[in-house]
Amino acid sequence: DARVTQTPRHKVTEMGQEVTMRCQPILGHNTVFWYRQTMMQGLELLAYFRNRAPLDDSGMPKDRFSAEMPDATLATLKIQPSEPRDSAVYFCASGLGWGENTEAFFGQGTRLTVV
Amino acid sequence: AQKVTQAQTEISVVEKEDVTLDCVYETRDTTYYLFWYKQPPSGELVFLIRRNSFDEQNEISGRYSWNFQKSTSSFNFTITASQVVDSAVYFCALSERTGGFKTIFGAGTRLFVKA
């Protein structure tokens, strides 16, 4: 049963600490999305990769957030330093990313709480 | 720029009622895809349907049906004979060729189905 795997599922951290969230996309998928979900803003697209190259990270606060794909099986989203306003559920999604196969398959999310 | 509007924030129905969730989109592209996702209380987003901009045929899948009308830029979702298990947040989403098929979501509609 192929699925997107995100770790950790929950993270509580103190303000100022570094947070790293990891995502393993579905094998063979070439597109990875990072979304943030909050009550106020809904689902916001933070970053978007195709074939490991960033296509769009305009939704991401550049001063503290960074997203990378070290290899095809791992995507990371890092926040340094974290702030209470970063508290949200962070979703990773993967897909085949072109034409008829553009739907995104989501992981279970990482619930981040910054205190 | 691409945009998705789900004007209904919350809908409450009684089991066995039919319910329609509205979705209006904006795009300047001629090639785009529309999606519906379901987010049950467990939190994971589940893909329901994809429609491309060249196919306006309506689709039915069991109790679910979708009405795509390019003339009104709408892609509405109807649940027939609703059930308690349909209670969830439903998201409409859009990806367009110009944006490299990145997927943008509406704010979501929370559906409560009461027994």
Side-chain angles (χ1 to χ4, degrees):
Chain A
D1 182 23
R3 56 187 346 190
V4 175
T5 303
Q6 289 186 248
T7 55
R9 293 289 313 281
H10 301 273
K11 176 73 175 178
V12 180
T13 191
E14 290 186 349
M15 183 173 62
Q17 296 297 305
E18 178 179 300
V19 175
T20 299
M21 291 168 271
R22 293 178 173 79
C23 168
Q24 182 176 358
I26 292 174
L27 190 63
H29 281 187
N30 66 347
T31 303
V32 172
F33 303 88
W34 281 104
Y35 290 90
R36 176 170 63 184
Q37 186 176 32
T38 60
M39 290 293 292
M40 295 299 294
Q41 300 296 328
L43 271 164
E44 301 173 274
L45 179 65
L46 297 176
Y48 167 46
F49 290 78
R50 176 158 299 131
N51 297 323
R52 296 176 55 201
L55 288 191
D56 188 338
D57 61 1
S58 58
M60 206 164 63
K62 300 292 190 306
D63 56 338
R64 298 183 300 108
F65 284 59
S66 61
E68 295 179 347
M69 281 200 73
D71 60 61
T73 64
L74 177 64
T76 62
L77 179 67
K78 191 176 294 186
I79 307 174
Q80 168 61 23
S82 57
E83 298 180 0
R85 59 180 168 151
D86 301 329
S87 297
V89 180
Y90 291 81
F91 286 102
C92 174
S94 73
L96 286 171
W98 206 260
E100 286 295 320
N101 296 305
T102 53
E103 67 264 27
F105 294 87
F106 281 76
Q108 292 180 296
T110 294
R111 182 174 294 276
L112 174 65
T113 303
V114 183
V115 298
Chain B
Q2 58 190 116
K3 184 180 177 182
V4 177
T5 302
Q6 294 180 256
Q8 304 150 307
T9 306
E10 288 186 0
I11 300 176
S12 184
V13 299
V14 176
E15 209 170 19
K16 298 184 183 175
E17 284 185 15
D18 298 347
V19 58
T20 295
L21 310 180
D22 297 334
C23 173
V24 174
Y25 63 92
E26 292 178 29
T27 178
R28 294 182 182 154
D29 215 325
T30 56
T31 301
Y32 54 89
Y33 292 84
L34 295 161
F35 308 86
W36 277 94
Y37 284 81
K38 175 182 180 179
Q39 186 176 38
S42 61
E44 193 168 349
L45 280 104
V46 178
F47 165 75
L48 295 178
I49 189 171
R50 174 194 62 232
R51 216 74 189 126
N52 76 54
S53 53
F54 301 108
D55 183 1
E56 282 191 80
Q57 282 191 0
N58 293 330
E59 183 151 341
I60 297 174
S61 176
R63 296 183 298 106
Y64 295 172
S65 62
W66 291 270
N67 182 284
F68 176 26
Q69 291 196 340
K70 288 176 75 171
S71 60
T72 55
S73 297
S74 64
F75 186 44
N76 296 338
F77 173 28
T78 297
I79 302 174
T80 303
S82 59
Q83 300 176 2
V84 173
V85 293
D86 296 327
S87 297
V89 181
Y90 291 86
F91 292 92
C92 181
L94 164 71
S95 70
E96 54 184 25
R97 177 189 289 274
T98 304
F101 292 114
K102 68 181 179 184
T103 307
I104 301 298
F105 285 78
T109 297
R110 184 177 296 275
L111 174 65
F112 293 98
V113 181
K114 295 178 283 189

